[in-house]
Amino acid sequence: MTSEIESRLAEIADVQGRVGGFAGADLSQTEVLFTSWGCPPVTAEVLAGAPRLKAIVHAAGSVKGHVTQACWERGIVVSSAASANAEPVAEFTLAAILFANKRVLDIARLYRERRGRLDWDARFPGFGNYRRVVGIVGASRIGRRVIELLRPFDLEVLVSDPYLREDLGVAQVGLEELVARSDVVSLHAPDLPETRHLLSRPLLAAMRDGATVINTARAALVDQEALTAEVASGRLYAVLDHTEPEFLPADSPLYDLPNALVTPHIAGSLGGELARMADLALDELDRYRRGLPFLHGVEPATLSRSA
C-alpha cells in the first residue's frame, strides 16, 4: 500500500491497524473490514468477535474466498474492486485479439529468423482485422468490457452466455455456432463445475483452421490437453494467461510452440495498476462513510455464477 493510499485511507476512516489473520485480533470495535488478496475467511467465529461489523470493502477481485454464508446471514454489505481489475484484463485481451488476427507473433518470429523481407500475403493470406469474427464466451464484467473496447473496430462480434438476458449490441449465439464462426474465441466465463472444459475437444475440433483461443479467465474452462494437441498440429493458435497447473512444468510443449503465447497470469492488475483497485475501494469506503450505497456492491445471489 502506497503512502498516498494510506493517507487517503486515514482521512476516510479511523484505522485500527493491520492484521495478517483473525486469530488473536481485536475486532470488537471494527465496523468495516478493508480486505485484499489472501484475506482469511470471515467465519461465524470471526463475526462473533466483531459484533459491530457491518461492511466488507474488498480492494481486490472475487470475494468468494473470504466472504462466507455467515456474513450474508448477518446482513453485512460487501463491495469488491473486481470492476477495476477487469480493465487491464480487457485491455490485455483486446491487444491479444488484434495481434492474433494480424499474425504479429508469426511475422515477428519469421522476420527475426530470416533477417529480411518476406511475402506476408502469400504466407498469411487474408490476415488482418478487417471483418474478422470475434467470439466472446461469457458476458461477464470482463467479457462486456472487451465487447465495449472492440466497438471502434471493423469486426463482427458474437457473444455466448446462457444467462444473458439483455441486448449488448452484438449477436448472441449458441456456443457451437460461436466456435464454428469465429476467427478468435476469447473466454470470459467463471470457473464453475458446469463450465469445466466448456471449450471441449469436440468444440476445439469444430473451430476454423488458423483460429485463435484466448484464455484470460480460468484454465479449467479449456480442455488443455486437447488444445495443446490442436496447437501442436499447427491448426489452431493459443494465447493463454491461465494454464493447468498455473505454472506449467518445464517439459510442457506450450512453451516452445511458435503458435502459442503463454504468460504467467499477468493480464490482471499488477504493478501500478493495483492503485486503480485501491482507489475504487477507497471510493466505496467513502460512500459508506457518507451513508451512500456501494456502487460496486456484491449480491449473494450472483456469486453462484461469477468468478
Side-chain angles (χ1 to χ4, degrees):
M1 188 180 294
T2 66
S3 57
E4 181 181 347
I5 292 170
E6 286 186 335
S7 296
R8 188 179 172 208
L9 178 59
E11 291 174 1
I12 296 172
D14 177 10
V15 182
Q16 291 181 294
R18 300 184 185 182
V19 294
F22 296 127
D26 181 7
L27 302 178
S28 60
Q29 302 302 309
T30 300
E31 185 176 349
V32 180
L33 284 176
F34 193 83
T35 63
S36 189
W37 284 293
C39 179
V42 184
T43 62
E45 291 74 19
V46 173
L47 292 175
R52 298 183 61 189
L53 187 67
K54 296 180 180 178
I56 298 174
V57 176
H58 192 49
S62 176
V63 302
K64 283 185 175 181
H66 67 295
V67 175
T68 66
Q69 182 61 32
C71 296
W72 303 120
E73 292 173 357
R74 170 92 158 253
I76 291 172
V77 292
V78 178
S79 172
S80 165
S83 60
N85 192 48
E87 194 65 27
V89 180
E91 292 169 352
F92 182 102
T93 304
L94 173 64
I97 291 169
L98 298 179
F99 268 38
N101 285 330
K102 197 73 171 179
R103 293 294 184 240
V104 169
L105 293 179
D106 278 327
I107 293 173
R109 175 178 54 83
L110 289 171
Y111 187 43
R112 182 172 61 250
E113 292 173 356
R114 299 289 184 86
R115 310 283 171 161
R117 183 173 177 81
L118 284 174
D119 187 346
W120 317 124
D121 286 323
R123 180 72 74 143
F124 307 104
F127 77 109
N129 283 288
Y130 184 58
R131 291 185 175 176
R132 290 286 179 156
V133 181
V134 177
I136 304 298
V137 180
S140 61
R141 184 182 287 106
I142 296 171
R144 290 168 187 246
R145 182 59 180 143
V146 172
I147 290 171
E148 288 300 316
L149 292 177
L150 289 172
R151 292 199 192 282
F153 301 94
D154 291 314
L155 295 163
E156 180 181 358
V157 180
L158 312 175
V159 64
S160 178
D161 188 320
Y163 296 102
L164 182 60
R165 297 292 182 268
E166 58 190 286
D167 183 5
L168 299 182
V170 297
Q172 184 177 356
V173 299
L175 185 57
E176 293 80 4
E177 180 180 347
L178 183 145
V179 299
R181 291 176 55 187
S182 296
D183 297 292
V184 175
V185 173
S186 188
L187 299 172
H188 303 286
D191 180 4
L192 304 171
E194 57 267 34
T195 61
R196 178 166 178 78
H197 290 185
L198 184 67
L199 202 55
S200 62
R201 186 179 295 271
L203 287 179
L204 288 166
M207 290 181 65
R208 294 178 173 182
D209 289 353
T212 300
V213 173
I214 298 174
N215 189 3
T216 57
R218 289 293 182 266
L221 298 177
V222 185
D223 183 334
Q224 187 170 295
E225 181 180 348
L227 177 60
T228 301
E230 290 281 12
V231 175
S233 76
R235 201 181 73 80
L236 296 181
Y237 289 73
V239 178
L240 306 175
D241 192 51
H242 288 265
T243 56
E244 287 184 320
E246 182 175 1
F247 298 105
L248 291 171
D251 60 351
S252 172
L254 289 170
Y255 282 122
D256 298 315
L257 290 171
N259 47 338
L261 172 63
V262 183
T263 52
H265 199 167
I266 63 167
S269 298
L270 293 173
E273 295 164 337
L274 294 171
R276 181 192 285 119
M277 302 182 77
D279 286 339
L280 184 148
L282 289 171
D283 288 344
E284 292 285 80
L285 184 60
D286 189 48
R287 289 183 64 86
Y288 176 85
R289 178 179 66 88
R290 293 184 287 131
L292 299 173
F294 290 139
L295 290 178
H296 303 277
V298 178
E299 296 298 329
T302 65
L303 284 180
S304 63
R305 60 176 190 269
S306 66

